[in-house]
Amino acid sequence: MSRARVAVLISGRGSNMMSLLEAAAAPDYPAEIVRVISNRPDAHGLVRAEAAGIATLAIDHKAYADRESFDAALDAALEEAQVDIVCLAGFMRLLTPGFTQKWRGRMINIHPALLPSFKGLHTHERALAEGVKIHGCTVHFVTPEMDVGPIIIQAAVPVLEGDTPDTLGARVLAQEHVIYPAALRLVTEGRARIVENRVAIDEFELAPPALVVPPAI
Ligand code: GAR
């Protein structure tokens, strides 16, 4: 089996990157992680990737005059590594329209909210402030507009009385680690097809029961 060559782009601790590395360690997983790239040379995720034996690269955005030249360096690194699919995993840089267009359909992102709600930053604080009862995370294809592209998979979690951004964020993060490897599998196997602005999933298994919060009993 020839496995898709994947690069993971990070800016920080890299827990989602680790979930992808762990999934890709299984012999039947259809993707291999060939590079971990960070725009921050001090990202802890780089240390974790190196410890796992993955080739890493820091491309410090501060060394580039503008977004175009940074994205050109990133693109060159991806081409050099013969990357098929790019996974953004806590990569906290806006990408230029030219870069996102080039990698359209081959670049996915994880976001810590149920899009299209709570785009951008501080999603758990904002979810609590709005009083939503169900929160979650989303993996989607990347398009030029931030946190907008076709949705591949989402996971929902309950918001509990007394939750803080940290407790809610931890509950969401645990689900991020489940759905990101699942989304990458769907994309790699060609089972997540973009149809206009949505994603059609081939061979959809039985849907799980609804999450109702508080339980309707
Ligand atoms: C994750 O929660 C991810 O969803 C979020 O940053 C965190 C990175 O954690 N991404 C965004 O907010 C992107 N808009 P990690 O480095 O441990 O994977």
Side-chain angles (χ1 to χ4, degrees):
M1 177 183 73
S2 119
R3 304 209 292 165
R5 295 174 64 81
V6 171
V8 184
L9 272 50
I10 63 169
S11 298
R13 69 188 163 186
S15 72
N16 277 291
M17 171 208 76
M18 287 304 295
S19 76
L20 295 173
L21 291 187
E22 281 157 20
D28 66 341
Y29 196 74
E32 63 175 316
I33 313 302
V34 296
R35 283 285 187 289
V36 170
I37 302 176
S38 174
N39 65 307
R40 292 184 173 276
D42 61 350
H44 183 57
L46 288 176
V47 179
R48 300 173 81 180
E50 276 156 27
I54 308 296
T56 65
L57 183 64
I59 305 177
D60 187 349
H61 64 271
K62 294 200 195 87
Y64 293 84
D66 51 30
R67 290 189 187 278
E68 282 71 21
S69 54
F70 172 78
D71 283 7
L74 190 54
D75 185 60
L78 295 171
E79 291 295 355
E80 193 266 327
Q82 296 181 303
V83 165
D84 301 310
I85 295 173
V86 178
C87 292
L88 308 183
F91 184 69
M92 307 309 259
R93 284 285 297 170
L94 287 177
L95 294 162
T96 56
F99 184 91
T100 53
Q101 192 55 41
K102 174 176 169 181
W103 289 92
R104 186 178 156 72
R106 298 185 294 150
M107 180 159 61
I108 63 180
N109 178 50
I110 187 147
H111 182 73
L114 289 171
L115 292 173
S117 293
F118 307 120
K119 297 167 186 161
L121 298 174
H122 309 301
T123 54
H124 311 312
E125 287 87 335
R126 288 157 54 213
L128 288 172
E130 292 289 350
V132 298
K133 299 289 187 225
I134 296 175
H135 187 42
C137 47
T138 303
V139 181
H140 65 97
F141 284 104
V142 176
T143 53
E145 207 180 333
M146 191 185 71
D147 300 333
V148 164
I151 291 170
I152 302 163
I153 186 168
Q154 295 184 301
V157 301
V159 179
L160 304 181
E161 287 304 318
D163 259 339
T164 65
D166 283 349
T167 59
L168 180 56
R171 197 173 305 122
V172 171
L173 189 65
Q175 294 307 311
E176 294 186 38
H177 298 161
V178 174
I179 67 169
Y180 212 175
L184 179 58
R185 175 186 281 281
L186 288 172
V187 171
T188 308
E189 292 178 341
R191 292 166 60 203
R193 292 178 295 107
I194 301 178
V195 182
E196 293 172 7
N197 64 346
R198 58 182 290 275
V199 173
I201 305 289
D202 293 339
E203 299 172 47
F204 196 89
E205 303 289 329
L206 265 187
L211 173 64
V212 180
V213 183
I217 49 174

